[in-house]
Amino acid sequence: QSVLTQPPSVSAAPGQKVTISCSGSSSNIGNNYVSWYQQLPGTAPKLLIYENNKRPSGIPDRFSGSKSGTSATLGITGLQTGDEADYYCGTWDSSLSAGRGYVFGTGTKVTVL
Amino acid sequence: QVQLVQSGAEVKKPGASVKVSCKASGYTFTGYYMHWVRQAPGQGLEWMGWINPNSGGTNYAQKFQGRVTMTRDTSISTAYMELSRLRSDDTAVYYCARGNSGYDKYYYYYYYMDVWGKGTTVTVSS
């Protein structure tokens, strides 16, 4: 039961755009930076976005991140079949009641139609 | 190149302990935290905690406190995660991941994991 909520799935045709939302609270997204991870089937997660909107070397600019208030969004443009994967948001949660720690979103499966 | 190589798959009985290793190469081991994340079959990612390889300091997720121990051996650039009193719902793939962290002038924290191991499958079954 993650504190970060994502839609279970999104889909679009090749070449189109999808957005994935990640909803949290003031103890996590509202006051900390968000990162995004891509997990292709049967593989380890891979860092896609860090510090809300920065891309590691080698990540194409088709992937973008943004944050507003207690929500964050991952955008993927020019969708490709190779983008079919699970996507997770993540951030630090400063809540004492929840036990300070890193939290992941519930995950979103992207399907290319 | 920067990489994390994890130990092989394990099969354990309920109540036993498992110790997974993660050998780092291609970077200064003591310069980055090491996180442990697990993923049960068909489920999402779950953060277990981190170790600071420089100091040995740890921060465990509340859920695992009392059952997990993270250690490191700096002489061989290896981090370890030991989980005790195993249950069937501990069956999962366990990942180590190199962590980056800090905070800005507003004390907003940034934490992210930029290099991941391939994972170690731990199966708990009687």
Side-chain angles (χ1 to χ4, degrees):
Chain A
Q1 54 279 24
S2 173
V3 298
L4 303 181
T5 303
Q6 300 179 230
S9 63
V10 297
S11 61
Q16 297 302 301
K17 174 181 179 178
V18 295
T19 59
I20 300 170
S21 60
C22 175
S23 178
S25 68
S26 59
S27 68
N28 42 68
I29 293 177
N31 284 289
N32 296 300
Y33 289 87
V34 177
S35 49
W36 289 89
Y37 304 87
Q38 176 194 59
Q39 187 175 33
L40 297 169
T43 69
K46 173 184 175 182
L47 178 67
L48 267 188
I49 298 288
Y50 66 100
E51 293 180 32
N52 299 338
N53 54 20
K54 297 179 181 177
R55 283 176 285 105
S57 170
I59 301 300
D61 59 8
R62 299 187 300 106
F63 296 91
S64 64
S66 63
K67 190 187 101 166
S68 178
T70 58
S71 293
T73 301
L74 174 71
I76 310 173
T77 59
L79 203 59
Q80 301 175 359
T81 55
D83 297 333
E84 282 204 338
D86 293 321
Y87 293 81
Y88 296 90
C89 58
T91 189
W92 185 256
D93 193 313
S94 309
S95 168
L96 278 173
S97 60
R100 290 195 180 116
Y102 196 86
V103 289
F104 288 101
T106 49
T108 299
K109 182 174 182 59
V110 170
T111 301
V112 181
L113 301 173
Chain B
Q1 73 282 23
V2 176
Q3 63 176 350
L4 301 174
V5 178
Q6 297 187 225
S7 49
E10 304 262 13
V11 179
K12 295 292 184 180
K13 293 195 181 304
S17 296
V18 68
K19 190 171 186 177
V20 180
S21 68
C22 172
K23 182 172 178 59
S25 62
Y27 72 97
T28 302
F29 178 64
T30 52
Y32 297 81
Y33 286 12
M34 190 69 77
H35 294 255
W36 290 89
V37 175
R38 76 176 187 178
Q39 186 172 37
Q43 302 301 307
L45 303 175
E46 182 173 34
W47 181 76
M48 300 180 70
W50 54 247
I51 182 168
N52 178 344
N54 188 43
S55 66
T58 55
N59 182 13
Y60 302 144
Q62 202 169 54
K63 174 178 178 177
F64 299 102
Q65 284 180 6
R67 268 207 318 143
V68 70
T69 304
M70 296 178 189
T71 56
R72 90 294 188 213
D73 184 338
T74 57
S75 68
I76 56 172
S77 299
T78 300
Y80 302 91
M81 187 285 299
E82 183 171 21
L83 190 62
S84 63
R85 302 193 300 278
L86 290 168
R87 306 184 293 254
S88 58
D89 61 358
D90 291 318
T91 293
V93 177
Y94 289 76
Y95 295 101
C96 60
R98 188 178 81 165
N100 293 263
S101 60
Y103 53 87
D104 66 11
K105 61 182 178 180
Y106 302 109
Y107 291 97
Y108 287 6
Y109 283 89
Y110 64 86
Y111 273 80
Y112 59 91
M113 300 152 210
D114 65 345
V115 181
W116 293 66
K118 292 188 185 304
T120 296
T121 299
V122 175
T123 302
V124 183
S125 173
S126 54

